[in-house]
């Protein structure tokens, strides 16, 4: 089986290209398969994986897949032989249009050999965020208030690393804050300045409000209503785990694969949840305990070659069923 990644955009600074094209192509090669990005001669390739932002030029009588496509383009979803998704959330959102949704998580090759941080006792605690700048707006779901309360008690500073700071429009905490532009050359060292990593993702929470309660149907006034993107994933948490940074994240489903065990980190949803978790991690021993456990779980659960091999086996089954060769 020979695999060609077909991408119009080949920018290593774009996460979707870096993880699901550049890195995945590397893993396929490591597993002994011929795998190329935009080969000049496509005649002898039998599997074509189209980039996320492309309008795919489907190669007839070959196996065609696409990487994390837009859910709204139903025609493309149905035309593909398979779809590579980054999370269970994304898989569930697309499965009605294509049964062959195969999961490859956002495991970043550039962090695989990073020496995890050993935390030392210090006066100023750096709370760090990295990733999509739009998620900063979700700090108004309890995190903003929690940080402001913590600032009254402790010497804390928030560093956020994004491609831009122009999209942070609401939820800014009134605490010392520093913006750093995401740079592939410095990102590892920048993240390792963090003492605690935070991952807000949920954009709306309703708790203890006047819902349509019916105890006989199992609906209670203590229920949660939460909102998150269909492409939500564990990628931001994995980077922090890899770098040895303890994580406080919201209860987005993918986060729970590791954070369901409280020895690995904190999954929260309320202001008090954010406050309590970050306060616990002010203690240096707790930071080292949590980050070490999370790092070990990441190593156990997120070996990229195991995930890549499973993906290849799923593609092989389609190839066998289509019987093109």
């Amino acid at each position: 089986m020979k695999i060609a990644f077909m991408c119009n955009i080949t920018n290593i600074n774009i996460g979707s290209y870096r993880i699901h094209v550049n890195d995945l192509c590397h893993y396929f090669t490591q597993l002994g398969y011929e795998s190329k990005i935009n080969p000049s001669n496509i005649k002898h390739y039998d599997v074509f994986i189209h980039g996320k932002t492309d309008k795919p030029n489907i190669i007839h009588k070959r196996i065609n897949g696409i990487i994390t496509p837009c859910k709204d383009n139903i025609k493309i979803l149905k035309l593909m032989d398979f779809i590579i998704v980054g999370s269970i959330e994304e898989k569930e959102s697309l499965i009605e249009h294509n049964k062959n949704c195969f999961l490859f998580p956002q495991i970043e090759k550039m962090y695989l050999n990073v020496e995890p941080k050993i935390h030392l006792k210090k006066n100023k605690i750096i709370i760090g965020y990295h990733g999509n700048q739009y998620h900063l707006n979700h700090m108004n779901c309890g995190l903003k208030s929690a940080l402001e309360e913590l600032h009254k008690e402790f010497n804390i500073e928030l560093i956020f690393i994004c491609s831009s700071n122009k999209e942070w429009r609401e939820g800014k905490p009134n605490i010392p804050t520093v913006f750093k532009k995401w740079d592939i050359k410095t990102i590892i060292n920048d993240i390792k300045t963090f003492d605690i990593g935070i991952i807000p993702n949920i954009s709306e929470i309703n708790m203890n409000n006047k819902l349509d309660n019916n105890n006989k149907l199992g609906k209670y006034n203590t229920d949660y209503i939460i909102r998150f993107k269909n492409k939500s994933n564990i990628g931001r948490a994995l980077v922090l785990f890899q770098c040895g940074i303890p994580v406080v994240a919201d209860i987005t489903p993918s986060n729970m694969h590791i954070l369901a065990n409280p020895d690995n980190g904190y999954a929260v949803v309320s202001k008090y949840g954010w406050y309590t978790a970050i306060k616990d991690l002010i203690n240096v021993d707790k930071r080292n305990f949590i980050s070490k456990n999370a790092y070990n779980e990441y190593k156990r659960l997120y070996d990229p070659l195991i995930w890549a091999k499973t993906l290849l086996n799923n593609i092989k089954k389609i190839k066998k069923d289509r019987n093109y060769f």
Side-chain angles (χ1 to χ4, degrees):
M1 188 167 70
K2 298 178 177 63
I3 304 161
F5 288 84
M6 309 301 291
C7 304
N8 291 334
I9 298 174
T10 56
N11 185 348
I12 199 69
N13 293 300
I14 297 175
S16 59
Y17 173 79
R18 195 169 58 248
I19 297 168
H20 283 125
V21 179
N22 183 75
D23 292 359
L24 192 53
C25 182
H26 171 79
Y27 302 139
F28 287 169
T29 302
Q30 276 195 298
L31 290 168
Y33 290 81
E34 182 175 336
S35 182
K36 300 282 186 182
I37 300 170
N38 293 333
S40 56
N41 184 355
I42 66 172
K43 289 183 179 180
H44 74 294
Y45 289 89
D46 43 16
V47 175
F48 293 87
I49 300 178
H50 302 276
K52 175 181 177 180
T53 60
D54 299 345
K55 293 180 180 178
N57 181 21
I58 295 174
I59 314 299
H60 296 289
K61 293 197 175 180
R62 297 292 190 274
I63 305 303
N64 289 265
I66 193 167
I67 296 163
T68 60
C70 175
K71 181 182 179 181
D72 296 330
N73 198 338
I74 296 173
K75 181 179 178 181
I76 293 299
L77 299 178
K78 291 184 174 180
L79 281 174
M80 289 294 139
D81 295 297
F82 66 92
I83 299 170
I84 297 175
V85 298
S87 66
I88 55 172
E89 296 92 319
E90 186 176 15
K91 177 179 179 178
E92 182 61 21
S93 74
L94 303 180
I95 197 76
E96 67 175 305
H97 304 304
N98 193 313
K99 67 178 183 179
N100 295 320
C101 290
F102 303 142
L103 175 58
F104 186 85
Q106 282 80 349
I107 308 169
E108 293 240 35
K109 182 167 68 71
M110 63 185 284
Y111 300 100
L112 289 179
N113 297 315
V114 172
E115 188 71 25
K117 178 175 180 174
I118 303 299
H119 294 264
L120 303 175
K121 189 172 183 179
K122 53 189 296 198
N123 292 324
K124 181 191 286 188
I125 298 298
I126 303 298
I127 298 170
Y129 172 91
H130 77 101
N132 189 320
Q133 57 268 22
Y134 290 100
H135 290 298
L136 292 166
N137 295 297
H138 303 168
M139 285 195 185
N140 61 0
C141 297
L143 178 53
K144 172 183 181 294
S145 299
L147 289 173
E148 290 174 345
E149 288 297 316
L150 288 160
H151 178 52
K152 297 174 184 177
E153 304 172 50
F154 303 99
N155 182 11
I156 63 172
E157 179 178 88
L158 173 65
I159 294 178
F160 64 105
I161 305 172
C162 305
S163 59
S164 168
N165 64 347
K166 295 179 180 179
E167 286 76 19
W168 193 356
R169 305 180 190 280
E170 62 181 25
K172 293 182 180 180
N174 185 23
I175 67 172
T177 303
V178 176
F179 165 66
K180 288 188 178 181
K181 189 172 179 61
W182 194 96
D183 187 332
I184 198 167
K185 296 177 182 177
T186 63
I187 184 61
I188 292 173
N189 289 333
D190 288 341
I191 286 177
K192 290 182 76 171
T193 65
F194 296 175
D195 299 302
I196 302 167
I198 54 172
I199 306 175
N201 184 63
I202 292 170
S203 58
E204 291 178 26
I205 309 169
N206 291 321
M207 299 166 56
N208 305 327
N209 59 353
K210 294 182 180 179
L211 300 175
D212 179 19
N213 301 322
N214 187 328
N215 290 5
K216 292 181 179 179
L217 297 178
K219 299 179 181 180
Y220 306 102
N221 61 7
T222 52
D223 293 345
Y224 298 141
I225 299 176
I226 62 175
R227 177 179 180 174
F228 51 87
K229 289 169 57 179
N230 79 303
K231 292 181 183 290
S232 295
N233 60 76
I234 199 174
R236 284 180 287 159
L238 283 180
V239 169
L240 295 170
F241 298 149
Q242 288 171 301
C243 292
I245 308 302
V247 169
V248 184
D250 64 36
I251 57 173
T252 297
S254 284
N255 291 336
M256 305 310 296
H257 194 207
I258 287 181
L259 296 182
N261 181 346
D263 286 343
N264 298 332
Y266 300 78
V268 302
V269 70
S270 66
K271 170 190 172 181
Y272 191 71
W274 285 106
Y275 171 86
T276 303
I278 296 171
K279 186 175 181 180
D280 281 351
L281 290 170
I282 299 293
N283 181 285
V284 65
D285 293 331
K286 196 63 175 285
R287 293 203 300 278
N288 280 313
F289 174 78
I290 292 292
S291 59
K292 183 178 179 180
N293 289 338
Y295 180 84
N296 290 336
E297 274 299 90
Y298 136 71
K299 294 286 282 186
R300 184 177 73 88
L301 295 171
Y302 287 92
D303 184 328
L305 292 180
I306 292 175
W307 285 93
K309 187 174 182 180
T310 300
L311 175 56
L312 285 166
N313 287 338
N314 285 326
I315 296 172
K316 281 183 183 177
K317 290 176 185 177
I318 295 176
K319 184 173 180 292
K320 182 178 179 181
D321 291 342
R322 298 292 189 272
N323 195 28
Y324 288 147
F325 306 94

